[in-house]
Amino acid sequence: MAETLSIPPHTTRRAIYEILFPQISALVNDEPDLIANLANITAALKEAFGFFWVGFYLKKEDQLVLGPFQGPIACTRIAFDKGVCGAAYTRGETILVPDVDQFPGHIACSSASKSEIVVPVFDKAGNVAMVLDVDSDTLADFSEVDAEGLARIVTLIQSL
Ligand code: SME
């Protein structure tokens, strides 16, 4: 297993997702430990894209609880009816927020966060087991390219 990423400079975001997918796949494929894989996925996304914050919130009983992440410290628990993470969990769909100040109920863990995308991660039974939250310090930083790229990467999380 390669333990360093290889991302050519000056590559488009779409191309980075293409290059990253097989590398993350190789990183997690032979490793059954969920937390280890989530940790490496957040590190790979942070390193490849330089996102401000990237991390997982895992469904635990009746809340989402902070899991592996990269970036500044963050709120540890999110109710299902709160924030972008709660909305993505409840709806079971990816939510793109170009301006977090315009999203009712957005939870501001950091005032530097300006836009975000949250992608649900499904278990084998089709229930949302966690969400992947990516925050940017620039407005409207995410598009369908990220929605597709991140949704594909979270399919690599197999121990659910
Ligand atoms: N922005 C999220 C809260 C988590 S932090 O951004 C890390 C939300 O509103 O769901």
Side-chain angles (χ1 to χ4, degrees):
M1 180 197 76
E3 276 158 0
T4 53
L5 291 180
S6 172
I7 310 287
H10 313 302
T11 311
T12 65
R13 202 177 274 192
R14 184 184 289 280
I16 295 175
Y17 280 112
E18 285 301 317
I19 294 164
L20 200 55
F21 182 80
Q23 295 184 56
I24 292 182
S25 181
L27 202 55
V28 303
N29 258 355
D30 296 327
E31 175 51 65
D33 189 89
L34 177 63
I35 298 300
N37 287 336
L38 298 183
N40 257 341
I41 289 171
T42 61
L45 290 170
K46 177 81 170 168
E47 186 177 335
F49 297 104
F51 291 136
F52 175 70
W53 195 93
V54 50
F56 290 93
Y57 281 92
L58 284 68
K59 178 199 180 281
K60 294 196 176 173
E61 298 174 355
D62 60 350
Q63 285 181 317
L64 296 169
V65 181
L66 184 63
F69 72 96
Q70 296 271 316
I73 58 169
C75 37
T76 50
R77 291 175 184 269
I78 298 177
F80 294 151
D81 62 349
K82 294 283 187 283
V84 187
C85 290
Y89 172 83
T90 306
R91 296 182 207 166
E93 59 190 40
T94 294
I95 301 185
L96 275 159
V97 180
D99 179 352
V100 295
D101 290 337
Q102 304 303 316
F103 189 93
H106 170 256
I107 302 161
C109 291
S110 165
S111 59
S113 180
K114 302 289 186 224
S115 61
E116 73 177 272
I117 181 170
V118 181
V119 179
V121 183
F122 297 91
D123 64 18
K124 290 187 184 71
N127 301 310
V128 182
M130 65 185 83
V131 297
L132 171 60
D133 179 4
V134 185
D135 297 351
S136 172
D137 56 6
T138 60
L139 285 166
D141 198 16
F142 302 105
S143 72
E144 284 305 316
V145 169
D146 301 284
E148 286 167 23
L150 295 172
R152 190 167 173 232
I153 285 169
V154 298
T155 64
L156 295 168
I157 303 166
Q158 287 168 350
S159 40
L160 294 175

